[in-house]
Amino acid sequence: MGKVTGFLEYERIEEGYEPVEKRLKSYKEFVIGLTPEQAKVQGARCMDCGTPFCNNGCPVNNIIPDFNDLVYHQDWQNAITVLHSTNNFPEFTGRICPAPCEAACVANINGDAIGIKSIEHAIIDRAWAEGWVTPQPAKVKTGKKVAIVGAGPAGLAAAQQLARVGHEVTVFEKNDKVGGLLRYGIPDFKLDKGHIDRRVKQLEAEGIKFRTNVVVGEWPKGSKVTNWAKETVSAESLKAEFDAVLLTGGSEQSRDLPIPGRELSGIHFAMELLPQQNKVNHGGKVKDAIRADGKHVIVIGGGDTGSDCVGTSNRHGAASVTQFEVMPQPPEQENKPLVWPYWPLKLRTSSSHEEGCVREFAISTKEFVGKDGKVTGLKTVHVEFKDGKLVEIPGTEKEYKADLVLLAMGFVNPVASVLDSFGVAKDARGNIKATTEIDGGYRTSVDKVFAAGDMRRGQSLVVWAIREGRQAARAVDEFLMGSTTLPR
């Protein structure tokens, strides 16, 4: 490495945040990235560790020591070349990835990990600013046509890979704009949608066609999707028109909480609130939009989606925000000798929590209560693990005031009727059944139909979606051409 003793000489530098009072007034990004000099220092901290566990800790297998070293030597242009060789969209992961690479960092065993995510963020932002991110259209066309269903990170990564080896790629998206969860799930204050828009321009320049407002297959009757989609395309027509079809939609069935009082108004899934707010932020009009202004908000679910609901509610001007998590509060510091290099269980406090939120752990909601058909509160009880099961603790019952309840407990599976319209086999969890083996990987039970991302693996991270999209593209290319030059 460029600075062999750097990890001994320099401390980890965290990215900064704008003050809470300022960032709550808008939905703009508020992270303050590293300066070139700070990034150089972070790059200098990368150890000559011999075995870079960070590479395998990263789902897309970013070549982390190499770009760290290039940043240390201020060779930014080669740094983005290395970064793009494994990751199509580092501007997404550099902002919203939880950075499992840093958990696997050798320096993290008994100290602070290298700021890998912040370096990635600095590289891609510098690359866009310098004009180094340009279209790379294929020089030779294959004459093969591929349909991709779902324009989220998995579909976009697969589309770019397939277009660059010469295939004619058409991406179908049910929403009015491209991006999937990036567009209509992740709040603008975490990911500005301009980052998606400029990537879409690059993809279009590489020959990829996008068809939005198109529902593929059969959606459940009464679904809001079918109310505004302009076009419906059958699964059979796609299979007839294209040489291969790749399904890359999301895991969109939210986990419900079927307890007494669930029918009361004012109880919504997180993925009702978040897409609405993103649409409104960009000039869209939403009838009967969910608002938290002046309300006591309860968010049920302690993950990232719940955190996004907290940040959005605070920007609305909620009177109070409380987040429930059924699991016990994790330790503030993980047991590194026990868990390294794997993703540790520890208490994680997001920027949204810091903006104002009461967090309750080991709590279970028993009943929603209301008046005149509207939710006014909920009854809870604390729980504990006993004999491997969560059991209620007598005497811990409590009622919380709530004018708005947001269910953010994760997602169970893709829309079943869409999968059924393609006739693909499903696994026990309701996802598409397809392996990741090198031979025949990502193939479904239906000829020339492939699957990747959340539709195949279930609810997961954006970085996993990009990995699956890239690998599925390789499988599709090999299926069409008999061999492939795409990386696995």
Side-chain angles (χ1 to χ4, degrees):
M1 305 308 296
K3 185 70 171 175
V4 177
T5 58
F7 72 99
L8 297 172
E9 299 176 32
Y10 305 121
E11 299 293 328
R12 177 183 169 98
I13 303 173
E14 299 283 355
E15 292 182 313
Y17 293 157
E18 290 183 353
V20 170
E21 59 273 16
K22 179 179 179 181
R23 66 189 197 232
L24 282 179
K25 295 177 181 178
S26 77
Y27 291 87
K28 296 180 180 179
E29 289 185 8
F30 52 79
V31 172
I32 303 170
L34 303 184
T35 66
E37 185 58 35
Q38 289 174 327
K40 177 180 179 177
V41 170
Q42 279 301 289
R45 295 186 67 240
C46 189
M47 303 170 66
D48 187 8
C49 56
T51 303
F53 285 83
C54 56
N55 287 17
N56 286 332
C58 172
V60 291
N61 303 122
N62 277 338
I63 311 170
I64 293 163
D66 291 39
F67 67 63
N68 283 347
D69 185 55
L70 289 164
V71 168
Y72 170 73
H73 287 99
Q74 299 290 280
D75 188 353
W76 292 87
Q77 195 159 4
N78 275 323
I80 187 58
T81 299
V82 170
L83 182 51
H84 266 153
S85 71
T86 56
N87 185 351
N88 297 70
F89 313 120
E91 64 269 42
F92 303 156
T93 53
R95 284 170 166 80
I96 60 176
C97 182
C101 55
E102 294 186 13
C105 175
V106 173
N108 191 47
I109 295 175
N110 59 359
D112 292 327
I114 313 306
I116 300 167
K117 178 180 174 182
S118 62
I119 293 174
E120 179 180 345
H121 186 182
I123 293 171
I124 184 59
D125 280 9
R126 175 74 174 268
W128 278 109
E130 297 286 352
W132 297 332
V133 184
T134 57
Q136 300 176 35
K139 295 180 180 179
V140 178
K141 299 294 185 180
T142 65
K144 301 291 186 179
K145 298 172 63 179
V146 181
I148 296 179
V149 181
L156 295 179
Q160 185 164 65
Q161 295 295 96
L162 289 166
R164 287 181 174 179
V165 291
H167 301 308
E168 184 182 328
V169 180
T170 303
V171 181
F172 295 84
E173 169 58 47
K174 70 180 186 305
N175 288 311
D176 58 342
K177 292 184 179 180
V178 170
L181 187 69
L182 298 169
R183 174 78 65 179
Y184 287 127
I186 296 169
D188 286 0
F189 55 80
K190 288 175 66 175
L191 179 69
D192 186 283
K193 305 318 173 208
H195 302 302
I196 305 172
D197 295 335
R198 63 185 178 185
R199 274 296 178 183
V200 170
K201 289 180 180 178
Q202 181 200 32
L203 297 175
E204 289 176 330
E206 292 176 350
I208 298 168
K209 299 176 183 176
F210 291 99
R211 293 180 58 183
T212 56
N213 284 122
V214 177
V215 167
V216 175
E218 296 294 329
W219 281 77
K221 291 182 179 179
S223 169
K224 294 179 180 179
V225 170
T226 56
N227 292 337
W228 46 257
K230 297 179 180 179
E231 183 181 356
T232 301
V233 175
S234 71
E236 292 302 320
S237 67
L238 283 194
K239 289 187 284 185
E241 182 181 350
F242 292 88
D243 299 296
V245 178
L246 175 58
L247 306 179
T248 59
S251 183
E252 298 188 61
Q253 292 288 353
S254 298
R255 182 173 282 108
D256 206 345
L257 188 58
I259 58 175
R262 176 63 180 87
E263 74 285 353
L264 293 168
S265 66
I267 304 170
H268 303 274
F269 290 117
M271 288 305 293
E272 293 179 72
L273 169 72
L274 299 176
Q276 285 185 4
Q277 187 59 56
N278 285 359
K279 287 184 178 181
V280 171
N281 289 349
H282 294 272
K285 294 183 179 180
V286 177
K287 186 179 180 181
D288 300 323
I290 303 166
R291 296 290 304 180
D293 312 62
K295 295 180 180 179
H296 297 281
V297 180
I298 302 286
V299 179
I300 302 179
D304 287 342
T305 304
S307 176
D308 293 343
C309 291
V310 171
T312 302
S313 297
N314 278 325
R315 281 161 178 75
H316 283 188
S320 68
V321 182
T322 306
Q323 186 177 22
F324 287 176
E325 169 56 64
V326 72
M327 301 300 290
Q329 181 173 331
E332 291 190 11
Q333 181 63 51
E334 74 269 31
N335 186 339
K336 290 183 178 181
L338 178 65
V339 300
W340 182 90
Y342 302 108
W343 186 246
L345 176 66
K346 67 176 182 179
L347 181 64
R348 302 177 191 279
T349 301
S350 72
S351 59
S352 292
H353 293 141
E354 294 171 350
E355 292 165 1
C357 174
V358 175
R359 303 170 75 181
E360 296 284 356
F361 293 90
I363 190 169
S364 176
T365 305
K366 298 281 291 179
E367 180 183 352
F368 297 114
V369 295
K371 183 178 180 181
D372 299 327
K374 297 181 180 179
V375 67
T376 57
L378 37 75
K379 295 180 179 179
T380 67
V381 64
H382 279 281
V383 292
E384 64 179 349
F385 271 107
K386 188 174 290 186
D387 298 326
K389 297 181 180 179
L390 280 173
V391 297
E392 297 180 4
I393 302 175
T396 62
E397 296 82 2
K398 183 177 178 179
E399 184 167 329
Y400 285 79
K401 179 177 177 59
D403 308 303
L404 174 64
V405 178
L406 300 170
L407 306 180
M409 301 175 294
F411 306 88
V412 291
N413 50 252
V415 177
S417 57
V418 174
L419 308 193
D420 292 341
S421 64
F422 279 92
V424 295
K426 292 180 278 189
D427 63 18
R429 296 184 299 161
N431 301 318
I432 298 176
K433 191 173 183 180
T435 70
T436 58
E437 299 299 324
I438 294 177
D439 295 327
Y442 296 90
R443 291 194 191 189
T444 70
S445 58
V446 177
D447 184 42
K448 74 178 186 181
V449 178
F450 295 74
D454 287 5
M455 267 192 173
R456 191 203 69 81
R457 68 176 286 118
Q459 173 193 350
S460 193
L461 304 174
V462 167
V463 68
W464 271 107
I466 294 172
R467 173 197 174 100
E468 295 233 334
R470 288 173 61 88
Q471 292 190 339
R474 175 186 170 89
V476 170
D477 185 40
E478 189 171 29
F479 166 75
L480 294 174
M481 308 303 293
S483 63
T484 181
T485 58
L486 287 174
R488 176 167 165 75

